Coordinates of all heavy atoms in Angstrom, one line a residue:
M1 N 0.8 -1.2 0.0 CA 0.0 0.0 0.0 C 0.9 1.2 0.0 O 1.8 1.3 0.8 CB -0.9 0.0 1.3 CG -1.9 1.0 1.3 SD -3.4 0.1 0.9 CE -4.5 1.1 0.2
W2 N 0.6 2.2 -0.8 CA 1.3 3.4 -0.9 C 0.9 4.3 0.3 O -0.2 4.4 0.6 CB 1.0 4.1 -2.2 CG 1.6 3.4 -3.4 CD1 0.9 2.5 -4.2 CD2 2.9 3.6 -4.0 NE1 1.8 2.1 -5.2 CE2 3.0 2.7 -5.1 CE3 4.0 4.4 -3.6 CZ2 4.1 2.6 -5.8 CZ3 5.1 4.3 -4.4 CH2 5.2 3.4 -5.5
E3 N 1.9 5.0 0.8 CA 1.8 5.9 1.9 C 2.1 7.3 1.4 O 3.1 7.5 0.7 CB 2.7 5.7 3.1 CG 2.6 4.4 3.8 CD 3.6 4.2 4.8 OE1 3.8 5.1 5.6 OE2 4.3 3.2 4.8
E4 N 1.3 8.3 1.7 CA 1.6 9.7 1.3 C 2.3 10.3 2.6 O 1.6 10.4 3.6 CB 0.4 10.4 0.8 CG 0.8 11.8 0.2 CD -0.3 12.4 -0.6 OE1 -1.2 11.7 -1.0 OE2 -0.2 13.6 -0.8
K5 N 3.6 10.7 2.4 CA 4.2 11.3 3.5 C 5.4 12.2 3.0 O 6.0 11.8 1.9 CB 4.8 10.3 4.6 CG 5.8 9.3 4.0 CD 6.2 8.4 5.2 CE 7.3 7.5 4.7 NZ 7.7 6.5 5.7
N6 N 5.7 13.3 3.7 CA 6.8 14.2 3.3 C 6.7 14.6 1.8 O 7.7 14.6 1.1 CB 8.1 13.5 3.5 CG 8.3 13.2 5.0 OD1 7.9 13.9 5.9 ND2 9.0 12.0 5.3
N7 N 5.5 14.9 1.4 CA 5.2 15.4 0.0 C 5.7 14.3 -1.1 O 6.1 14.6 -2.1 CB 5.9 16.7 -0.3 CG 5.3 17.8 0.5 OD1 4.1 17.9 0.6 ND2 6.2 18.7 1.0
S8 N 5.5 13.0 -0.7 CA 5.9 11.9 -1.6 C 4.9 10.8 -1.4 O 4.3 10.7 -0.4 CB 7.3 11.4 -1.3 OG 8.2 12.4 -1.5
L9 N 4.9 9.9 -2.4 CA 4.2 8.6 -2.3 C 5.4 7.6 -2.0 O 6.4 7.7 -2.7 CB 3.5 8.2 -3.6 CG 2.3 9.0 -3.9 CD1 1.7 8.5 -5.2 CD2 1.2 8.9 -2.8
Y10 N 5.2 6.7 -1.1 CA 6.2 5.8 -0.7 C 5.6 4.4 -0.5 O 4.5 4.2 0.0 CB 6.8 6.2 0.7 CG 7.7 5.1 1.3 CD1 9.0 4.9 0.9 CD2 7.1 4.2 2.2 CE1 9.8 3.9 1.4 CE2 7.9 3.2 2.8 CZ 9.2 3.0 2.4 OH 10.0 2.0 2.9
R11 N 6.4 3.4 -1.0 CA 6.0 2.0 -0.8 C 7.2 1.1 -0.8 O 8.2 1.4 -1.5 CB 5.1 1.5 -1.9 CG 4.6 0.1 -1.7 CD 3.4 -0.2 -2.5 NE 3.0 -1.6 -2.2 CZ 2.2 -2.3 -2.9 NH1 1.6 -1.8 -3.9 NH2 2.0 -3.6 -2.6
K12 N 7.2 0.1 0.1 CA 8.3 -0.9 0.2 C 7.7 -2.2 -0.4 O 6.6 -2.6 -0.1 CB 8.6 -1.1 1.7 CG 9.8 -2.1 1.8 CD 9.9 -2.5 3.3 CE 10.8 -1.6 4.0 NZ 11.2 -2.1 5.3
F13 N 8.5 -2.8 -1.2 CA 8.2 -4.1 -1.9 C 9.2 -5.1 -1.5 O 10.4 -4.8 -1.4 CB 8.3 -3.9 -3.4 CG 7.3 -2.9 -4.0 CD1 7.7 -1.6 -4.0 CD2 6.1 -3.2 -4.4 CE1 6.9 -0.6 -4.6 CE2 5.2 -2.3 -4.9 CZ 5.6 -1.0 -5.0
Q14 N 8.8 -6.3 -1.2 CA 9.7 -7.4 -0.8 C 9.4 -8.6 -1.7 O 8.3 -8.9 -2.0 CB 9.6 -7.8 0.6 CG 10.1 -6.7 1.5 CD 10.4 -7.1 2.9 OE1 9.4 -7.4 3.7 NE2 11.6 -7.1 3.3
F15 N 10.5 -9.2 -2.2 CA 10.5 -10.3 -3.1 C 11.2 -11.5 -2.5 O 11.8 -11.4 -1.5 CB 11.1 -9.9 -4.4 CG 10.4 -8.7 -5.0 CD1 10.8 -7.4 -4.8 CD2 9.3 -8.9 -5.9 CE1 10.1 -6.3 -5.3 CE2 8.6 -7.8 -6.4 CZ 9.0 -6.5 -6.1
K16 N 11.1 -12.6 -3.2 CA 11.8 -13.9 -2.7 C 13.3 -13.8 -2.7 O 14.0 -14.3 -1.9 CB 11.4 -15.1 -3.5 CG 9.9 -15.5 -3.3 CD 9.5 -16.9 -3.8 CE 10.2 -17.4 -5.0 NZ 9.6 -18.6 -5.6
N17 N 13.8 -13.0 -3.7 CA 15.3 -12.9 -3.8 C 15.7 -11.7 -4.6 O 14.8 -11.0 -5.1 CB 15.8 -14.2 -4.5 CG 15.2 -14.5 -5.8 OD1 15.0 -13.7 -6.6 ND2 14.8 -15.8 -6.0
F18 N 17.0 -11.5 -4.8 CA 17.5 -10.4 -5.5 C 17.0 -10.4 -7.0 O 16.7 -9.3 -7.5 CB 19.0 -10.3 -5.5 CG 19.6 -9.2 -6.3 CD1 19.6 -7.9 -5.8 CD2 20.2 -9.5 -7.5 CE1 20.1 -6.9 -6.6 CE2 20.8 -8.4 -8.2 CZ 20.7 -7.1 -7.8
S19 N 17.0 -11.5 -7.6 CA 16.7 -11.6 -9.0 C 15.2 -11.1 -9.3 O 15.0 -10.4 -10.2 CB 16.8 -13.0 -9.6 OG 18.2 -13.4 -9.6
E20 N 14.3 -11.5 -8.4 CA 12.9 -11.1 -8.5 C 12.8 -9.6 -8.3 O 12.1 -8.9 -9.0 CB 12.0 -11.8 -7.6 CG 11.7 -13.2 -8.0 CD 10.6 -13.9 -7.2 OE1 9.9 -13.2 -6.4 OE2 10.5 -15.1 -7.4
A21 N 13.6 -9.1 -7.3 CA 13.5 -7.6 -7.1 C 14.1 -6.8 -8.2 O 13.5 -5.8 -8.7 CB 14.4 -7.3 -5.8
F22 N 15.2 -7.3 -8.8 CA 15.8 -6.6 -9.9 C 14.9 -6.7 -11.2 O 14.8 -5.7 -11.9 CB 17.2 -7.2 -10.2 CG 18.0 -6.4 -11.1 CD1 18.7 -5.3 -10.6 CD2 18.0 -6.6 -12.5 CE1 19.5 -4.5 -11.5 CE2 18.7 -5.8 -13.4 CZ 19.5 -4.7 -12.9
A23 N 14.3 -7.8 -11.4 CA 13.3 -8.0 -12.5 C 12.2 -7.0 -12.4 O 11.8 -6.3 -13.4 CB 12.8 -9.4 -12.6
F24 N 11.7 -6.8 -11.2 CA 10.6 -5.8 -10.9 C 11.1 -4.4 -11.2 O 10.4 -3.6 -11.9 CB 10.2 -5.9 -9.4 CG 9.3 -4.9 -9.0 CD1 7.9 -4.8 -9.4 CD2 9.7 -3.9 -8.1 CE1 7.1 -3.8 -9.0 CE2 8.9 -2.9 -7.6 CZ 7.6 -2.8 -8.1
M25 N 12.3 -4.1 -10.8 CA 12.9 -2.8 -11.0 C 13.0 -2.5 -12.5 O 12.8 -1.4 -13.0 CB 14.2 -2.6 -10.3 CG 14.1 -2.6 -8.8 SD 15.7 -2.4 -8.0 CE 16.1 -0.7 -8.3
T26 N 13.4 -3.5 -13.3 CA 13.5 -3.4 -14.7 C 12.1 -3.0 -15.3 O 12.0 -2.2 -16.2 CB 14.1 -4.6 -15.3 OG1 15.4 -4.9 -14.7 CG2 14.2 -4.5 -16.8
R27 N 11.1 -3.8 -14.9 CA 9.8 -3.5 -15.4 C 9.3 -2.1 -15.0 O 8.7 -1.3 -15.9 CB 8.8 -4.5 -14.9 CG 9.0 -5.9 -15.4 CD 7.9 -6.9 -15.1 NE 7.6 -7.0 -13.7 CZ 8.2 -7.9 -12.8 NH1 9.2 -8.7 -13.3 NH2 7.8 -7.9 -11.6
V28 N 9.6 -1.7 -13.8 CA 9.3 -0.3 -13.4 C 10.0 0.7 -14.2 O 9.5 1.7 -14.7 CB 9.6 -0.1 -11.9 CG1 9.4 1.4 -11.5 CG2 8.6 -1.0 -11.0
A29 N 11.3 0.5 -14.5 CA 12.1 1.4 -15.2 C 11.5 1.6 -16.6 O 11.5 2.8 -17.1 CB 13.5 0.9 -15.3
L30 N 11.1 0.5 -17.3 CA 10.5 0.7 -18.6 C 9.2 1.5 -18.6 O 9.0 2.4 -19.5 CB 10.2 -0.7 -19.2 CG 11.5 -1.5 -19.5 CD1 11.1 -3.0 -19.8 CD2 12.3 -0.9 -20.6
E31 N 8.4 1.3 -17.6 CA 7.1 2.1 -17.5 C 7.5 3.6 -17.2 O 6.9 4.5 -17.7 CB 6.2 1.6 -16.4 CG 5.5 0.3 -16.8 CD 4.6 0.5 -18.0 OE1 3.9 1.5 -18.2 OE2 4.6 -0.5 -18.9
A32 N 8.4 3.8 -16.3 CA 8.8 5.2 -15.9 C 9.4 5.9 -17.1 O 9.1 7.1 -17.3 CB 9.8 5.1 -14.8
E33 N 10.2 5.2 -17.9 CA 10.8 5.8 -19.1 C 9.7 6.2 -20.1 O 9.7 7.3 -20.7 CB 11.8 4.9 -19.7 CG 12.6 5.5 -20.8 CD 13.5 6.7 -20.3 OE1 13.8 6.8 -19.1 OE2 14.0 7.4 -21.2
K34 N 8.7 5.4 -20.3 CA 7.6 5.7 -21.2 C 6.9 7.0 -20.7 O 6.4 7.8 -21.5 CB 6.6 4.6 -21.2 CG 7.0 3.4 -22.0 CD 5.9 2.3 -21.9 CE 6.4 0.9 -22.3 NZ 5.3 -0.1 -22.1
M35 N 6.7 7.1 -19.4 CA 6.0 8.3 -18.9 C 7.0 9.5 -18.7 O 6.5 10.6 -18.4 CB 5.5 8.0 -17.5 CG 4.3 7.0 -17.5 SD 3.7 6.7 -15.8 CE 3.1 8.4 -15.4
D36 N 8.3 9.3 -18.9 CA 9.3 10.3 -18.6 C 9.1 10.9 -17.2 O 9.0 12.1 -16.9 CB 9.2 11.5 -19.6 CG 10.4 12.4 -19.5 OD1 11.5 11.9 -19.1 OD2 10.2 13.6 -19.9
H37 N 8.9 9.9 -16.3 CA 8.6 10.3 -14.9 C 9.3 9.2 -14.0 O 8.9 8.1 -14.0 CB 7.2 10.3 -14.6 CG 6.8 10.9 -13.2 ND1 7.2 12.2 -12.9 CD2 6.1 10.4 -12.2 CE1 6.8 12.4 -11.6 NE2 6.1 11.4 -11.2
H38 N 10.4 9.6 -13.4 CA 11.3 8.6 -12.8 C 11.3 8.6 -11.3 O 11.3 9.6 -10.7 CB 12.8 8.8 -13.3 CG 12.8 8.9 -14.8 ND1 12.7 10.0 -15.6 CD2 12.8 7.9 -15.7 CE1 12.7 9.8 -16.8 NE2 12.8 8.4 -17.0
P39 N 11.3 7.4 -10.7 CA 11.2 7.3 -9.3 C 12.6 7.5 -8.6 O 13.6 7.3 -9.2 CB 10.8 5.8 -9.0 CG 11.3 5.1 -10.2 CD 11.2 6.1 -11.4
S40 N 12.5 7.8 -7.3 CA 13.7 7.7 -6.4 C 13.5 6.3 -5.8 O 12.4 6.0 -5.3 CB 13.7 8.8 -5.4 OG 13.8 10.0 -6.0
W41 N 14.6 5.5 -5.8 CA 14.4 4.2 -5.2 C 15.7 3.6 -4.7 O 16.8 4.1 -5.0 CB 13.8 3.2 -6.2 CG 14.5 3.0 -7.5 CD1 15.7 3.5 -7.9 CD2 13.9 2.4 -8.6 NE1 16.0 3.1 -9.2 CE2 14.9 2.4 -9.7 CE3 12.8 1.7 -8.9 CZ2 14.7 1.8 -10.9 CZ3 12.6 1.1 -10.2 CH2 13.5 1.2 -11.1
T42 N 15.6 2.6 -3.8 CA 16.7 1.9 -3.3 C 16.4 0.4 -3.4 O 15.2 0.0 -3.5 CB 17.0 2.2 -1.8 OG1 15.9 1.8 -1.0 CG2 17.3 3.7 -1.6
N43 N 17.5 -0.4 -3.5 CA 17.3 -1.8 -3.5 C 18.4 -2.4 -2.7 O 19.6 -2.1 -2.8 CB 17.5 -2.3 -5.0 CG 17.7 -3.8 -5.1 OD1 18.7 -4.3 -5.6 ND2 16.8 -4.6 -4.5
V44 N 18.0 -3.2 -1.7 CA 18.9 -4.0 -0.9 C 18.4 -5.5 -1.0 O 17.3 -5.7 -0.5 CB 19.0 -3.5 0.5 CG1 20.0 -4.4 1.3 CG2 19.5 -2.1 0.6
Y45 N 19.2 -6.3 -1.6 CA 18.9 -7.7 -1.8 C 17.4 -7.9 -2.3 O 17.2 -7.7 -3.5 CB 19.1 -8.6 -0.5 CG 18.8 -10.1 -0.8 CD1 19.5 -10.8 -1.7 CD2 17.9 -10.7 0.0 CE1 19.2 -12.1 -2.0 CE2 17.6 -12.1 -0.2 CZ 18.3 -12.7 -1.2 OH 18.0 -14.1 -1.4
N46 N 16.5 -8.3 -1.5 CA 15.1 -8.6 -2.0 C 14.1 -7.5 -1.7 O 12.9 -7.6 -1.9 CB 14.6 -9.9 -1.4 CG 14.3 -9.7 0.1 OD1 14.9 -8.9 0.8 ND2 13.4 -10.5 0.6
T47 N 14.6 -6.3 -1.3 CA 13.7 -5.2 -0.9 C 13.9 -4.0 -1.9 O 15.1 -3.6 -2.1 CB 14.0 -4.8 0.5 OG1 13.8 -5.9 1.4 CG2 13.1 -3.7 1.0
V48 N 12.8 -3.5 -2.4 CA 12.9 -2.3 -3.2 C 12.0 -1.3 -2.5 O 10.8 -1.6 -2.2 CB 12.3 -2.6 -4.6 CG1 12.3 -1.3 -5.5 CG2 13.2 -3.7 -5.3
E49 N 12.5 -0.1 -2.3 CA 11.7 1.0 -1.7 C 11.7 2.1 -2.8 O 12.7 2.5 -3.4 CB 12.4 1.6 -0.5 CG 12.4 0.6 0.7 CD 13.0 1.1 1.9 OE1 12.3 1.9 2.6 OE2 14.1 0.7 2.2
I50 N 10.4 2.6 -3.0 CA 10.2 3.6 -4.1 C 9.5 4.8 -3.5 O 8.6 4.7 -2.7 CB 9.3 3.0 -5.2 CG1 10.0 1.8 -5.9 CG2 9.0 4.1 -6.2 CD1 9.1 1.1 -7.0
T51 N 10.0 6.0 -3.9 CA 9.5 7.2 -3.5 C 9.2 8.0 -4.8 O 10.0 8.1 -5.7 CB 10.5 8.1 -2.6 OG1 10.8 7.3 -1.5 CG2 9.9 9.4 -2.2
L52 N 7.9 8.5 -4.8 CA 7.5 9.3 -6.0 C 7.1 10.7 -5.6 O 6.4 10.9 -4.6 CB 6.3 8.6 -6.7 CG 6.5 7.2 -7.1 CD1 5.1 6.6 -7.6 CD2 7.5 7.1 -8.3
N53 N 7.6 11.7 -6.3 CA 7.1 13.0 -6.3 C 7.5 13.7 -7.6 O 8.3 13.2 -8.4 CB 7.4 13.8 -5.0 CG 8.9 14.1 -4.9 OD1 9.7 14.0 -5.9 ND2 9.4 14.3 -3.7
T54 N 6.9 14.8 -7.9 CA 7.2 15.5 -9.1 C 8.1 16.7 -8.9 O 7.7 17.7 -8.3 CB 5.9 16.0 -9.8 OG1 5.0 14.8 -10.0 CG2 6.1 16.6 -11.2
H55 N 9.4 16.5 -9.3 CA 10.4 17.6 -9.0 C 10.0 18.9 -9.7 O 10.2 19.9 -9.1 CB 11.8 17.1 -9.5 CG 12.1 15.8 -8.9 ND1 12.4 15.6 -7.5 CD2 12.3 14.5 -9.4 CE1 12.7 14.3 -7.3 NE2 12.6 13.7 -8.4
S56 N 9.5 18.8 -10.9 CA 9.2 20.0 -11.7 C 8.1 20.8 -11.1 O 7.9 22.0 -11.5 CB 9.0 19.7 -13.2 OG 7.8 18.8 -13.3
E57 N 7.3 20.2 -10.2 CA 6.2 20.9 -9.6 C 6.5 21.3 -8.2 O 5.6 21.6 -7.4 CB 4.9 20.1 -9.6 CG 4.4 19.7 -11.0 CD 3.9 20.9 -11.8 OE1 3.3 21.8 -11.1 OE2 4.1 21.0 -13.0
G58 N 7.8 21.3 -7.8 CA 8.2 21.7 -6.4 C 8.2 20.5 -5.5 O 8.0 20.7 -4.3
D59 N 8.5 19.4 -6.0 CA 8.7 18.2 -5.1 C 7.4 17.9 -4.3 O 7.4 17.7 -3.1 CB 9.9 18.3 -4.2 CG 11.2 18.3 -4.9 OD1 11.3 17.5 -5.9 OD2 12.1 19.0 -4.5
I60 N 6.3 17.8 -5.0 CA 5.0 17.5 -4.4 C 4.4 16.3 -5.1 O 4.9 15.9 -6.2 CB 4.0 18.6 -4.4 CG1 3.7 19.0 -5.9 CG2 4.5 19.8 -3.6 CD1 2.5 20.0 -6.0
V61 N 3.4 15.7 -4.5 CA 2.7 14.6 -5.2 C 1.7 15.1 -6.2 O 0.9 16.0 -5.8 CB 1.9 13.7 -4.1 CG1 1.1 12.6 -4.8 CG2 2.9 13.1 -3.2
T62 N 1.8 14.7 -7.4 CA 0.9 15.1 -8.5 C 0.2 13.9 -9.1 O 0.5 12.7 -8.7 CB 1.6 15.9 -9.6 OG1 2.5 15.0 -10.3 CG2 2.4 17.1 -9.0
E63 N -0.7 14.1 -10.0 CA -1.4 13.1 -10.7 C -0.4 12.2 -11.5 O -0.7 11.0 -11.6 CB -2.4 13.7 -11.7 CG -3.3 12.6 -12.3 CD -4.1 11.8 -11.3 OE1 -4.5 12.4 -10.2 OE2 -4.4 10.6 -11.5
K64 N 0.7 12.7 -11.9 CA 1.7 11.8 -12.6 C 2.2 10.8 -11.6 O 2.5 9.6 -12.0 CB 2.9 12.7 -13.0 CG 2.7 13.4 -14.3 CD 4.0 14.2 -14.7 CE 4.7 13.5 -15.7 NZ 5.9 14.3 -16.2
D65 N 2.4 11.1 -10.3 CA 2.9 10.2 -9.3 C 1.8 9.1 -9.1 O 2.2 7.9 -9.0 CB 3.2 10.9 -8.0 CG 4.3 12.0 -8.3 OD1 5.4 11.7 -8.7 OD2 3.9 13.2 -8.0
R66 N 0.6 9.5 -9.0 CA -0.5 8.6 -8.7 C -0.6 7.6 -9.9 O -0.8 6.4 -9.7 CB -1.8 9.3 -8.4 CG -1.7 10.1 -7.1 CD -3.0 10.8 -6.8 NE -2.9 11.8 -5.8 CZ -2.5 11.7 -4.6 NH1 -2.3 10.5 -4.1 NH2 -2.4 12.7 -3.7
K67 N -0.5 8.1 -11.1 CA -0.6 7.3 -12.3 C 0.6 6.3 -12.3 O 0.3 5.1 -12.6 CB -0.6 8.2 -13.5 CG -0.8 7.4 -14.8 CD -0.9 8.4 -16.0 CE -1.1 7.6 -17.3 NZ -1.1 8.5 -18.5
L68 N 1.8 6.7 -12.0 CA 2.9 5.8 -12.0 C 2.8 4.8 -10.9 O 3.1 3.6 -11.1 CB 4.2 6.6 -11.9 CG 5.5 5.7 -11.9 CD1 5.6 4.8 -13.2 CD2 6.7 6.6 -11.9
A69 N 2.3 5.2 -9.8 CA 2.1 4.2 -8.7 C 1.1 3.1 -9.1 O 1.4 1.9 -8.8 CB 1.5 5.0 -7.4
K70 N 0.0 3.5 -9.8 CA -0.9 2.5 -10.3 C -0.2 1.5 -11.3 O -0.5 0.3 -11.2 CB -2.1 3.1 -10.9 CG -3.1 3.7 -9.9 CD -4.3 4.4 -10.5 CE -5.1 5.1 -9.5 NZ -6.2 5.8 -10.0
K71 N 0.6 2.1 -12.1 CA 1.3 1.3 -13.1 C 2.3 0.3 -12.4 O 2.4 -0.9 -12.8 CB 2.0 2.1 -14.1 CG 1.1 2.8 -15.1 CD 1.8 3.6 -16.1 CE 0.9 4.2 -17.1 NZ 0.6 3.4 -18.3
I72 N 2.9 0.8 -11.4 CA 3.9 0.0 -10.6 C 3.1 -1.2 -9.9 O 3.5 -2.3 -10.0 CB 4.6 0.8 -9.6 CG1 5.6 1.8 -10.3 CG2 5.4 -0.1 -8.6 CD1 6.2 2.8 -9.5
D73 N 2.0 -0.9 -9.3 CA 1.2 -1.9 -8.7 C 0.7 -3.0 -9.7 O 0.7 -4.2 -9.3 CB -0.1 -1.3 -8.0 CG 0.3 -0.5 -6.7 OD1 1.4 -0.7 -6.2 OD2 -0.6 0.2 -6.3
A74 N 0.4 -2.6 -10.9 CA 0.0 -3.5 -11.9 C 1.1 -4.5 -12.3 O 0.9 -5.5 -12.9 CB -0.6 -2.8 -13.1
L75 N 2.4 -4.1 -12.0 CA 3.5 -4.9 -12.4 C 3.8 -6.1 -11.4 O 4.7 -6.9 -11.7 CB 4.8 -4.1 -12.5 CG 4.7 -3.0 -13.6 CD1 5.9 -2.1 -13.5 CD2 4.6 -3.6 -15.0
L76 N 3.2 -6.1 -10.3 CA 3.4 -7.1 -9.3 C 2.8 -8.4 -9.7 O 1.9 -8.6 -10.4 CB 2.8 -6.7 -7.9 CG 3.5 -5.5 -7.3 CD1 2.7 -5.1 -6.1 CD2 4.9 -5.8 -6.9

């Protein structure tokens, strides 16, 4: 579930292993590139943490962030 905090949407994802986490990140990267809207994220082994906000709008949550969050959820 996405949390809205600190002018961002945040979600932590956990997978069985690094390969699954990295495959997920690759799918997210392809969707983000299509939208020209890129997440801030970290990956440690099987955990991916994603933060979304719109830098060009003053680092706030916009409809672009909500749309990308929905696309990310659909990739699970």
Side-chain angles (χ1 to χ4, degrees):
M1 190 105 207
W2 290 91
E3 298 175 51
E4 190 164 342
K5 62 181 186 180
N6 301 323
N7 294 320
S8 299
L9 292 179
Y10 167 83
R11 185 165 177 190
K12 180 191 274 190
F13 300 86
Q14 291 196 292
F15 300 91
K16 286 194 330 189
N17 54 44
F18 176 76
S19 293
E20 284 189 11
F22 193 84
F24 171 72
M25 291 178 73
T26 301
R27 294 190 303 273
V28 170
L30 293 171
E31 286 299 321
E33 190 65 18
K34 286 181 199 172
M35 290 181 65
D36 191 30
H37 191 57
H38 305 95
S40 296
W41 57 10
T42 61
N43 166 241
V44 177
Y45 182 59
N46 70 332
T47 302
V48 177
E49 294 182 74
I50 299 178
T51 302
L52 302 172
N53 65 21
T54 304
H55 305 293
S56 62
E57 297 293 326
D59 293 323
I60 61 169
V61 176
T62 66
E63 190 57 33
K64 282 180 100 171
D65 303 300
R66 295 184 197 290
K67 185 176 178 181
L68 182 54
K70 286 180 186 176
K71 286 181 180 273
I72 291 169
D73 287 345
L75 298 172
L76 292 172

